[in-house]
């Protein structure tokens, strides 16, 4: 038990945390304006090729209201010195402020490449999201996004 606690605490102390912004272009039939942007956080452990990424992406609707998408993805990364391709998947939550107290749940999958340039990490990716449309009447069911993340 003590050994497991030591290993977990050592791995946590080695965790690499990156913060930054992610922006892009959503494509889908749910009335979204042609942009999305928001903060992002990435957490990784150097000895394991897995990263956990959480975003808070703001999106404007054609109706003038807004939505917030919060995907939490686990990425498997093929590590390289300069460019590391990755695939990822995880749950996502969509919140309609002012319209409803409920959030729309979904699942996101995607892939891209993580490019290191000195202290900056550039992450172009494509992401597909499928939402449970039964939780919010009239809401969109799928979205494809082309995103670019900049983290430090």
């Amino acid at each position: 038990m003590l050994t497991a606690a030591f290993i977990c605490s050592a791995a946590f102390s080695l965790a690499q945390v990156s913060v930054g912004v992610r922006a892009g272009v959503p494509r889908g039939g749910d009335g979204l304006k042609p942009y999305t942007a928001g903060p992002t956080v990435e957490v990784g452990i150097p000895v394991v090729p897995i990263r956990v990424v959480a975003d808070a992406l703001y999106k404007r609707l054609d109706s003038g209201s807004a939505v917030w998408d919060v995907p939490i993805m686990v990425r498997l990364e093929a590590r390289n010195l300069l460019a590391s391709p990755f695939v990822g998947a995880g749950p996502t939550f969509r919140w309609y402020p002012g319209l409803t107290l409920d959030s729309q749940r979904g699942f996101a999958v995607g892939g891209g490449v993580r490019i290191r340039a000195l202290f900056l990490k550039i992450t172009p990716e494509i992401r597909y999201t499928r939402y449970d449309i039964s939780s919010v009447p009239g809401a969109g069911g799928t979205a494809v996004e082309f995103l670019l993340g900049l983290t430090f």
Side-chain angles (χ1 to χ4, degrees):
M1 179 73 169
L2 185 59
T3 304
F6 177 74
I7 291 171
C8 288
S9 65
F12 186 73
S13 68
L14 293 174
Q16 298 173 337
V17 178
S18 299
V19 295
V21 296
R22 192 169 315 279
V25 181
R27 294 288 178 227
D30 55 358
L32 294 173
K33 296 280 187 182
Y35 66 88
T36 184
T40 186
V41 175
E42 298 182 6
V43 178
I45 300 172
V47 296
V48 181
I50 294 175
R51 299 184 72 74
V52 177
V53 178
D55 303 325
L57 300 172
Y58 172 84
K59 297 174 181 175
R60 195 91 174 140
L61 298 174
D62 287 337
S63 64
S65 60
V67 297
W68 284 92
D69 282 351
V70 182
I72 302 167
M73 299 181 69
V74 175
R75 289 184 180 165
L76 179 60
E77 197 173 275
R79 297 216 172 139
N80 194 335
L81 292 177
L82 296 177
S84 302
F86 64 84
V87 294
T92 186
F93 306 92
R94 178 173 275 182
W95 181 54
Y96 295 83
L99 297 180
T100 179
L101 295 176
D102 295 332
S103 67
Q104 199 175 6
R105 294 165 304 283
F107 194 78
V109 296
V113 64
R114 189 166 186 254
I115 303 163
R116 289 166 191 77
L118 296 177
F119 297 106
L120 183 67
K121 291 144 192 114
I122 304 164
T123 313
E125 70 177 287
I126 185 168
R127 189 181 291 172
Y128 172 80
T129 306
R130 175 78 180 150
Y131 291 100
D132 173 16
I133 60 174
S134 65
S135 60
V136 179
T142 62
V144 175
E145 297 175 291
F146 301 96
L147 299 166
L148 180 66
L150 300 173
T151 56
F152 302 93

